[in-house]
Amino acid sequence: MKTHNDDVDWDRWPVADYLAENYRDLHPSDAAVITHHSAFYRRFAPGSVERSVEFGAGPNLYPLILAAAASRRIEAVDAGAGNIAYLERQIQCGPDASWLPFHALCRRLNPDLPATLAGALAHVNVVHADVRELEPAGYELASMHFVAEGATEDYAEFTDFCRAFVRCVVPGGHLVAAFMENMPTYRIGPVSRWPGCPVDPSIVTRVFTPMTRDLSVSRIDADPTLPDYGDSGMVLLTAVAR
């Protein structure tokens, strides 16, 4: 039996374990994603995007930092109560010091970013909602990191998440994303188990081609400094919605 998104209690997502395993240090794979995405964001004049969205934000701050160079308002949308609480604390009480190297690299690659981490996060508004219910054409730009392939074990549902991602921007809206490559069902921390839908560049290309133009799909190798979740690297995407 495949696990689908609605089979999972996302309020129980292990935020502390996830951060400890993945984001307490700036890993080479993070640096590679930031480098790729910074080239994407440098296309935009500072503040030229009125409203953007982080589609399934989780507790990962660096996509929000990256978007702050271009976006006047960033909506970080997530369904999990723990993720929402973490994001709200980071904005209201000040971000964890572990995110400072991420901000420093983002700003080195895109000097249009706000000079401080808190300044970058000041653009963020946290929204507790199911991304599948976002209004169509509500944003000029959408970003997604490790969501569609980490929400389900079913390829059809993976495709539905990708469609919702594209649908949430206006026609001609911009898209940037990262996927875990060939990620199976995986474990975080000592006990928790979470769905995975193995995808690769060919699958991502096939799903997004009918919905986008100017599609660019690339990949990076697995990062040996990260836990072995069974993946083989990451798939990176930029595109424009048809």
Side-chain angles (χ1 to χ4, degrees):
M1 294 290 292
K2 293 179 179 177
T3 299
H4 293 82
N5 182 80
D6 290 342
D7 298 328
V8 179
D9 182 359
W10 294 105
D11 289 342
R12 297 180 58 215
W13 176 255
V15 174
D17 287 333
Y18 180 70
L19 291 171
E21 292 181 11
N22 293 277
Y23 296 117
R24 289 308 179 206
D25 297 295
L26 176 53
H27 294 276
S29 58
D30 300 320
V33 175
I34 289 169
T35 299
H36 173 271
H37 286 12
S38 293
F40 166 80
Y41 280 109
R42 286 196 301 269
R43 304 175 192 173
F44 303 93
S48 60
V49 176
E50 180 178 352
R51 188 174 180 229
S52 68
V53 62
E54 185 61 28
F55 186 96
N60 182 2
L61 297 193
Y62 79 68
L64 305 174
I65 298 168
L66 285 162
S71 303
R72 298 198 293 275
R73 177 185 176 92
I74 305 161
E75 295 189 0
V77 181
D78 200 277
N83 290 331
I84 292 296
Y86 179 80
L87 292 172
E88 289 178 339
R89 286 197 305 273
Q90 297 301 291
I91 295 167
Q92 295 169 7
C93 303
D96 295 341
S98 56
W99 293 109
L100 290 171
F102 291 83
H103 174 263
L105 177 59
C106 291
R107 190 159 192 266
R108 187 158 68 248
L109 293 170
N110 189 353
D112 290 332
L113 271 171
T116 66
L117 175 53
L121 296 181
H123 295 249
V124 178
N125 293 266
V126 181
V127 179
H128 192 183
D130 187 327
V131 290
R132 296 170 296 180
E133 298 174 1
L134 290 173
E135 60 178 307
Y139 302 94
E140 298 165 60
L141 185 152
S143 169
M144 176 173 67
H145 293 77
F146 321 122
V147 174
E149 80 285 12
T152 181
E153 295 175 359
D154 182 73
Y155 280 101
E157 192 169 34
F158 165 79
T159 300
D160 288 343
F161 268 98
C162 294
R163 286 176 179 149
F165 173 58
V166 176
R167 190 173 60 240
C168 78
V169 299
V170 296
H174 294 271
L175 306 164
V176 61
F179 306 84
M180 299 304 296
E181 184 183 61
N182 293 313
M183 173 75 100
T185 297
Y186 62 100
R187 188 180 299 279
I188 295 177
V191 293
S192 69
R193 191 169 177 84
W194 303 91
C197 184
V199 301
D200 59 21
S202 65
I203 291 172
V204 171
T205 299
R206 185 167 66 246
V207 168
F208 279 88
T209 293
M211 304 183 286
T212 65
R213 58 178 173 83
D214 301 335
L215 175 65
S216 175
V217 177
S218 59
R219 66 172 301 280
I220 58 176
D221 288 332
D223 186 341
T225 72
L226 286 170
D228 183 3
Y229 293 122
D231 64 279
S232 57
M234 296 179 185
V235 180
L236 307 179
L237 172 149
T238 61
V240 174
R242 288 190 184 275

